[in-house]
Amino acid sequence: MTASLAPHESARLSALEQTVRDGLRDFRRTGQALSEIRDNGFYRASYESFEAYLQDRWGFTAPQAGRLIDASDVAKVLDPLGIQPKNEAQARSYRAAAKVIEELEPEQQRVIARLVEAAAPDTQPGAEGEADGETDLPWDVPAAEVRIMASVVKKMQPDALVHHPDSGDEVPFDTLSNPERFEVIRTHVDQKTQAYREKQEAKANAPQAEKINWADWVLNTAAQNLGHGQRLEITVEPDGSGAARAVARIVDGGTGEVLSAGAGAVTLKKAVLNLAAELK
């Protein structure tokens, strides 16, 4: 059932809908407006559900609206850090980092803001890529690295043992001065960020696994490589836990001897790829 709105609710709904109408290209304003309409039930005068309201009024699905609202919420967390995503997808890439940041105290969040500022590329007025005095500062700090910052700050509890930045002695974190604490945090962040970058570089430079069309591989192997009387079988059998596993193998048709077999798998594709790897 629908329900009438109080005059002040109707006025607020009208303002919010104008925001959505004017701000469809601004995910922050649109997400914030949709969130308020949902949370206050302002749709209830004409619609029985928020989902029906979204579909009829704006042509949105619930997941589409949810992504806008999530992105807007993330952008709100990032704004005090100086990070301003340019679109919904960029904002949602910071979702994991924002979740950690929300759990931190204001002072801890200010430390992250300093780390972000220090990590952001230098920008000077008139630098290349700026327009009308605008800068991208400090958007270029990747989401994964902001999450590293937040995680390090979160772990630096007062009784955490750290190495003094000058003496190298192991001391409780809360015995350090504020500048010393920041130096310790930045050192930890730099170490973890470097390790992350090296891991990503190694992953990017790793040899790419050969892509095999498993169905074509089965036919080609059967046609070109099987000896007289041999056959390639793919069997699917229950594994005893209520699920099933597939196994691809080459069998001697006369004796039934299994000449080669791949490891069992939960899909036919993986079973065939396991056999291909075994034959190599």
Side-chain angles (χ1 to χ4, degrees):
M1 292 180 59
T2 59
S4 60
L5 298 179
H8 73 279
E9 291 179 315
S10 295
R12 184 58 181 160
L13 174 61
S14 178
L16 292 169
E17 290 193 327
Q18 187 62 44
T19 295
V20 175
R21 187 178 299 108
D22 294 343
L24 286 177
R25 294 187 179 182
D26 183 341
F27 73 91
R28 296 176 187 83
R29 295 179 61 207
T30 302
Q32 290 169 2
L34 291 174
S35 177
E36 189 172 340
I37 292 170
R38 178 197 63 189
D39 294 345
N40 291 281
F42 288 157
Y43 56 83
R44 67 186 186 276
S46 303
Y47 300 92
E48 293 185 357
S49 69
F50 183 56
E51 289 74 14
Y53 164 78
L54 289 171
Q55 185 61 51
D56 185 65
R57 189 74 176 86
W58 304 110
F60 288 172
T61 64
Q64 285 175 316
R67 288 192 293 269
L68 279 168
I69 292 171
D70 283 348
S72 178
D73 289 343
V74 169
K76 186 176 180 180
V77 174
L78 298 177
D79 191 58
L81 307 181
I83 299 176
Q84 298 179 348
K86 298 178 178 67
N87 54 49
E88 172 199 336
Q90 288 179 347
R92 287 192 291 111
S93 73
Y94 282 83
R95 188 176 183 183
K99 185 176 181 180
V100 179
I101 293 168
E102 283 184 300
E103 299 172 353
L104 303 179
E105 298 295 331
E107 179 58 34
Q108 293 174 304
Q109 294 179 6
R110 285 191 285 272
V111 171
I112 297 174
R114 289 183 61 192
L115 292 167
V116 168
E117 183 179 9
D122 292 334
T123 55
Q124 299 295 331
E128 184 179 356
E130 296 181 9
D132 300 326
E134 295 180 355
T135 71
D136 291 336
L137 184 220
W139 158 246
D140 289 325
V141 181
E145 296 185 14
V146 175
R147 185 179 183 183
I148 289 171
M149 296 173 186
S151 298
V152 169
V153 170
K154 182 179 180 181
K155 289 179 180 178
M156 290 298 172
Q157 297 299 314
D159 58 350
L161 293 177
V162 298
H163 293 287
H164 194 286
D166 296 326
S167 68
D169 295 335
E170 196 171 55
V171 297
F173 184 67
D174 63 355
T175 63
L176 301 175
S177 66
N178 285 337
E180 290 169 341
R181 292 179 187 181
F182 182 75
E183 188 61 32
V184 167
I185 289 172
R186 185 164 62 176
T187 298
H188 280 252
V189 168
D190 288 347
Q191 291 172 346
K192 290 185 177 296
T193 299
Q194 182 62 30
Y196 166 77
R197 291 174 178 173
E198 290 175 356
K199 183 177 181 180
Q200 293 301 107
E201 183 178 359
K203 184 177 180 181
N205 294 332
Q208 298 298 309
E210 182 182 0
K211 293 184 178 180
I212 300 175
N213 182 308
W214 67 277
D216 288 346
W217 184 90
V218 168
L219 295 176
N220 290 337
T221 299
Q224 301 174 13
N225 299 309
L226 295 186
H228 179 72
Q230 295 178 352
R231 62 175 182 265
L232 193 158
E233 298 180 342
I234 303 175
T235 61
V236 180
E237 301 174 349
D239 65 1
S241 66
R245 295 186 71 79
V247 177
R249 54 197 174 197
I250 294 176
V251 178
D252 186 303
T255 65
E257 178 186 1
V258 176
L259 304 175
S260 185
V266 295
T267 66
L268 298 180
K269 176 181 178 180
K270 182 61 176 173
V272 170
L273 295 180
N274 287 346
L275 175 59
E278 180 68 22
L279 291 178
K280 282 187 177 181

